[in-house]
Amino acid sequence: MRSHYCGDVNKSHLGQEVTLVGWVNRSRDLGGVIFLDLRDREGIVQVVYDPDLEDVFKVASSLRGEFCVQVKGLVRARPDSQINAQMKTGEIEVLGKDLTIINTSAPLPLSMDNHQNNSEEQRLKYRYLDLRRPEMADRLVFRSKVTSAVRRFLDDSGFLDIETPILTKATPEGARDYLVPSRTYKGQFFALPQSPQLFKQLLMMSGFDRYYQIVKCFRDEDLRADRQPEFTQIDIETSFMSSEQVMAKTEEMVRGLFNDLLNVDLGEFPRMSYAEAMTRYGSDKPDLRNPLELVDVADALKDVEFAVFSGPANDEEGRVAALRIPTGASLSRKQIDNYTKYVGIYGAKGLAWMKINDLSAGMEGIQSPVLKFLNEDIVNEIIARTNAQTGDIILFGADKANVVAEAMGALRLKAGEDFELLEGEWRPLWVVDFPMFEKINGGFHAVHHPFTAPRGVSPEQLEADPAGTVSDAYDMVLNGCELGGGSVRIHNAEMQSAVFRILGISDEEANEKFGFLLEALRYGTPPHAGLAFGLDRIIMLMTGASSIRDVMAFPKTTTAACPLTNAPGFANPQQLVELGVSVIPQEKPAADE
């Protein structure tokens, strides 16, 4: 039905007859000449109809937005005064010779010109219309180019594309599983995979030393802009490759994507330890475009008569950190109060501050509600460490170290945006040397996952000092967003059992959940390592979208619902009987008395 895509017609087609199909983006009657903007996935082309062809002109006069039509016409150059440099097809137009209305369109339930006028609910309910918008179509076309480039790179590097099961067994990946009831085994359930972690390890044990898969993963967790209940990973696993080799290969892949598709050279990725990232930025995925850094000042505040500072300063698990904001002395008290409320979201109980109004005036040039607790030596020490200058403000976080990191790390990002401090467009980073475990409520939890290998210790040494052991793990970060993470895996049963014991997983539970893995580890398991990228997150960054929902064809809402299909829905009662599943009715709230 077509000879060319609308967006592909250009000066090379001058004088040729073309047949185009698509949707009416806009129709304008200008003094007896009708200008039609015809749109398909590749772009928009201008079609001109004049009244000489009376029957065709009459059809063109009846067109409305989103009519689906077929156009036949002659490609000609636009007059110099009408060239549109903003359009791929801006140097040409099509003189319409024939026009067929394939299908009309009812009045639209959302705006196609300005999506800002549409609610998120509207955009998702009528997603098939939303996806016609050039901005959305371009993102999905770009997504296809990324996945094609990834496949080419990995295929050329000797990786095999191997599928793993979707119906599997629940494993501890850090989020709730989506469960699928079994009809043939009543009362038992499959789980949808949070990642193919165990299966890709089993593939390494099977001798397929380079595996990849672009695969759906499922996690029943609270959502936000960069999370969805189902998302896509670029999953990679290798045998007989060290962490350095895995990082080098995947860095080569990502650099190639940016170079080939965006003409951006990311350069060599720097390395930073987890400990350094948390100390300087309060985050294990720091945005290096932001020059602001946290500075520890606890040692200078241990003896002050101000418990807000001295308490955390003398607590082994506490921290006092200072954040200097250049020109921040201009902040009003209301703005500082708003920052205080902001850090409160992350558990901070308050936000102390110090304005450097005039550095040359000594203590007279300092303004702070806590100044009465600080002598001149302490103030000068804080100013020296933060390199504060006249006109700056220093903000303080004092609490448990994890609270300070989360709250001040978030404030660092907000202040960087508020004061327009971001430098450069792209700042990649490898974060390495993660701790093996973190302590939560008195128990140990795996920082990555329980199959991550520790670095340089025996099982006995690991169990003797789990808190002091680092893992052979690595995360790739770009502009404060984690693109992907991976690790060297445990490849012997003794080490895996030691990790399970530290995590409080009994032998019985380990055998019940991972017996097949522990058994497989007994049969000549090779050393192996891998990495999984969040494809949706990569596309979001590369296209400049604000949410991964805008780079997925049919995403869910932030409450994990689909307005398009009205999913989730209630199951047929007969289906529930066949599955051996009963549903507990929701209690209705009591009526107001």
Side-chain angles (χ1 to χ4, degrees), residues 208-278:
F208 299 99
D209 62 313
R210 292 193 175 196
Y211 141 95
Y212 83 93
Q213 190 180 184
I214 298 179
V215 60
K216 282 286 187 185
C217 301
F218 307 87
R219 295 183 184 177
D220 184 7
E221 59 186 349
D222 296 331
L223 306 181
R224 57 178 184 242
D226 59 347
R227 286 184 179 174
Q228 280 280 292
E230 52 179 314
F231 57 95
T232 306
Q233 280 188 353
I234 305 169
D235 205 45
I236 299 170
E237 196 78 6
T238 70
S239 296
F240 307 111
M241 286 180 68
S242 66
S243 55
E244 291 293 330
Q245 291 171 315
V246 172
M247 292 166 71
K249 178 58 68 174
T250 53
E251 179 179 323
E252 181 187 354
M253 182 183 79
V254 171
R255 289 175 62 190
L257 287 177
F258 275 77
N259 203 8
D260 296 343
L261 299 179
L262 295 182
N263 196 28
V264 168
D265 182 3
L266 293 177
E268 296 289 336
F269 291 16
R271 307 279 182 93
M272 183 179 295
S273 71
Y274 169 88
E276 181 182 354
M278 296 301 292

Side-chain angles (χ1 to χ4, degrees), residues 261-385:
L261 299 179
L262 295 182
N263 196 28
V264 168
D265 182 3
L266 293 177
E268 296 289 336
F269 291 16
R271 307 279 182 93
M272 183 179 295
S273 71
Y274 169 88
E276 181 182 354
M278 296 301 292
T279 298
R280 294 173 61 187
Y281 306 111
S283 171
D284 61 359
K285 48 181 184 294
D287 187 347
L288 297 187
R289 296 173 302 165
N290 184 337
L292 301 181
E293 294 192 20
L294 306 182
V295 177
D296 284 330
V297 292
D299 60 316
L301 298 168
K302 286 185 175 183
D303 299 324
V304 300
E305 294 182 1
F306 183 48
V308 171
F309 282 169
S310 60
N314 288 283
D315 183 348
E316 288 185 358
E317 297 181 357
R319 184 181 182 189
V320 185
L323 177 69
R324 176 183 73 94
I325 303 176
T327 72
S330 61
L331 287 171
S332 67
R333 185 57 189 263
K334 182 179 179 181
Q335 289 172 312
I336 295 174
D337 288 344
N338 287 337
Y339 277 172
T340 303
K341 291 177 183 177
Y342 182 75
V343 296
I345 297 171
Y346 300 92
K349 301 179 185 69
L351 185 68
W353 54 271
M354 179 188 295
K355 288 186 177 182
I356 315 300
N357 294 325
D358 184 357
L359 193 58
S360 64
M363 294 291 279
E364 296 296 322
I366 308 299
Q367 177 187 356
S368 171
V370 300
L371 193 60
K372 58 186 176 182
F373 300 109
L374 310 177
N375 61 42
E376 188 170 0
D377 289 341
I378 292 175
V379 170
N380 288 337
E381 179 67 19
I382 292 171
I383 289 173
R385 289 194 194 183

Side-chain angles (χ1 to χ4, degrees), residues 5 103 109 173 208 243 310 350-351 362 384 406 408 421 434 456 476 510 539 557 569:
Y5 281 106
N103 219 331
E173 299 283 349
F208 299 99
S243 55
S310 60
L351 185 68
E406 190 169 0
M408 297 301 287
L421 298 175
F434 286 82
M476 183 186 290
I539 306 298
T557 66

